[in-house]
Amino acid sequence: MNKVLDVNGLKVTFKSFDGDVQAVRGLDFYLNEKETLAIVGESGSGKSVTSQSIMRLISSPPGIVEGSIMFEEKDLNEVSEKEMESIRGKEISMIFQDPMTSLNPTMRIGRQITEGLIKHQNMTKKEAFNRALQLLKLVGIPDSEERIHQYAHQFSGGMRQRVVIAIALACNPKILVADEPTTALDVTIQAQILELMKDLQQKTGTSIILITHDLGVVAKAASRVAVMYSGKIVETGTVDEIFYEPKHPYTWGLLGSMPKLDGSKELLNAIPGTPPDLANPPKGCPFVTRCPYAMNICEERNPEYTTISDTHKSACWLQERLAPDVEPPQDIFIRREDHAR
């Protein structure tokens, strides 16, 4: 597969009165054509900062972005702001976290969709309006001819999210960054939005980066997963490798916190402790203070990646040859038929 995005050594630091907060600490990942890469992790792990870095939305000051973000042989960290404006919204689009606040309450829906079409596609107002109608129908908005003249407050949460997706897809972007696109929605609407995104990807060939903390969403929508913790990617692999052959204790913790579908009423397993202070991150493994399998070396040195397969790697000292043999908790594994649901 051809790569449409290749990120290497990405670091994002925010200057503050309490010191430099290292929100992202050296990320390496890539996105292939027509695939969905999920970046998962609990709140504060650096997922949204990563997505904003790709879109060049980190203000400087206070943010400092280092590393390379290669898109079509261009480093997005090196291009001018004018050139980035021609890429943002046209080649790379973003669905922001909250559909309730992503839309302008003072503008009609139709105008919000046509703005990008007029700017990036050089369409006339009439052409852009007709394209906006097509997009509303494409994302499943009923009575589009009437709805296109309405305001955001006249739409439900699920319908607003569909409008946000229509705006993001207006210019047929090569990459769609979806930052927690289903967080504010109930489970029924969430399932509809995920099906919509998969259907649109098949029709348009767009590559998707899905930012989420919900592993249920990952199982439904992604083909490959990067597990992020404390500003670092600690494990990456295909969906099957992460769900059925996880290697990192943090991934085990995330899987263990998922509710089971077998009808049991046991309490959810929470990962004990709190994430480290990124203004003063540990010199060793970032998960060391919360890991029940931590060894002395975990406090002293950050582990390198161990290659499990061509698509699977994990940054954990437990993968070293001399490490003790530790098996993951058996209650973290879900049945493949539950995954398929």
Side-chain angles (χ1 to χ4, degrees):
M1 287 188 179
N2 294 326
K3 295 179 182 178
V4 292
L5 190 75
D6 196 1
V7 177
N8 289 283
L10 180 64
K11 297 180 181 180
V12 184
T13 304
F14 292 98
K15 298 287 185 180
S16 74
F17 291 111
D18 295 327
D20 294 349
V21 178
Q22 301 173 45
V24 175
R25 304 191 291 144
L27 293 195
D28 298 320
F29 67 90
Y30 61 90
L31 178 68
N32 290 321
E33 288 182 342
K34 301 180 182 180
E35 84 162 344
T36 298
L37 169 68
I39 301 179
V40 304
E42 61 192 322
S43 297
S45 59
K47 307 184 303 296
S48 292
V49 174
T50 299
S51 66
Q52 292 166 14
S53 301
I54 294 170
M55 298 295 293
R56 274 271 294 270
L57 295 176
I58 302 291
S59 298
S60 180
I64 300 172
V65 181
E66 303 173 78
S68 66
I69 304 171
M70 301 302 298
F71 171 70
E72 292 191 335
E73 300 182 354
K74 298 176 183 177
D75 186 347
L76 299 184
N77 276 340
E78 300 295 334
V79 301
S80 66
E81 181 56 33
K82 184 176 181 180
E83 187 174 1
M84 191 64 206
E85 286 180 4
S86 69
I87 295 173
R88 190 188 297 126
K90 180 182 180 182
E91 304 287 348
I92 307 176
S93 287
M94 186 166 182
I95 302 172
F96 291 93
Q97 243 180 66
D98 187 0
M100 308 300 179
T101 57
S102 297
L103 297 170
N104 189 328
T106 68
M107 293 170 59
R108 297 180 193 273
I109 292 301
R111 183 181 171 192
Q112 296 188 58
I113 300 175
T114 58
E115 271 189 331
L117 293 167
I118 293 170
K119 177 179 180 180
H120 293 301
Q121 303 291 329
N122 297 319
M123 290 185 178
T124 64
K125 289 185 178 180
K126 184 177 181 180
E127 290 171 336
F129 181 84
N130 290 334
R131 171 62 175 157
L133 267 179
Q134 293 175 354
L135 287 164
L136 288 179
K137 292 175 182 177
L138 183 67
V139 298
I141 300 290
D143 304 318
S144 301
E145 291 81 0
E146 177 184 348
R147 295 291 233 165
I148 197 170
H149 299 291
Q150 295 181 340
Y151 294 91
H153 72 271
Q154 295 175 278
F155 288 73
S156 67
M159 287 299 174
R160 290 187 204 187
Q161 191 63 295
R162 290 172 185 265
V163 172
V164 171
I165 293 173
I167 294 172
L169 292 173
C171 298
N172 295 321
K174 294 180 179 176
I175 297 174
L176 179 63
V177 181
D179 187 2
E180 301 276 10
T182 60
T183 294
L185 307 176
D186 64 59
V187 291
T188 303
I189 302 301
Q190 182 183 96
Q192 294 176 5
I193 294 298
L194 292 175
E195 285 297 329
L196 172 63
M197 290 177 63
K198 289 176 67 176
D199 183 52
L200 292 174
Q201 185 180 43
Q202 292 176 354
K203 292 178 179 178
T204 63
T206 299
S207 302
I208 298 175
I209 296 177
L210 177 63
I211 310 291
T212 184
H213 64 271
D214 187 340
L215 288 176
V217 170
V218 173
K220 186 76 173 176
S223 50
R224 204 159 46 84
V225 186
V227 181
M228 196 167 177
Y229 181 76
S230 188
K232 290 178 172 287
I233 291 176
V234 296
E235 185 169 8
T236 183
T238 65
V239 168
D240 280 356
E241 286 169 337
I242 295 301
F243 275 84
Y244 304 125
E245 301 175 35
K247 299 299 181 183
H248 198 284
Y250 178 62
T251 309
W252 300 348
L254 289 180
L255 291 168
S257 67
M258 290 178 64
K260 302 295 186 294
L261 300 180
D262 58 6
S264 62
K265 297 182 180 180
E266 295 180 7
L267 294 176
L268 294 180
N269 296 318
I271 301 175
T274 57
D277 179 7
L278 292 182
N280 185 28
K283 64 178 181 178
C285 174
F287 193 56
V288 62
T289 59
R290 307 174 73 184
C291 180
Y293 314 103
M295 302 173 286
N296 290 337
I297 194 172
C298 301
E299 299 179 359
E300 299 299 326
R301 291 173 55 194
N302 195 44
E304 299 291 332
Y305 288 111
T306 298
T307 299
I308 314 299
S309 72
D310 291 343
T311 55
H312 191 188
K313 60 182 182 178
S314 173
C316 180
W317 286 114
L318 290 177
Q319 302 306 314
E320 290 295 315
R321 183 173 57 86
L322 298 178
D325 188 14
V326 175
E327 293 293 329
Q330 290 304 303
D331 61 354
I332 70 170
F333 294 104
I334 62 174
R335 296 176 302 173
R336 289 182 184 266
E337 55 267 34
D338 288 344
H339 179 176
R341 294 180 194 179

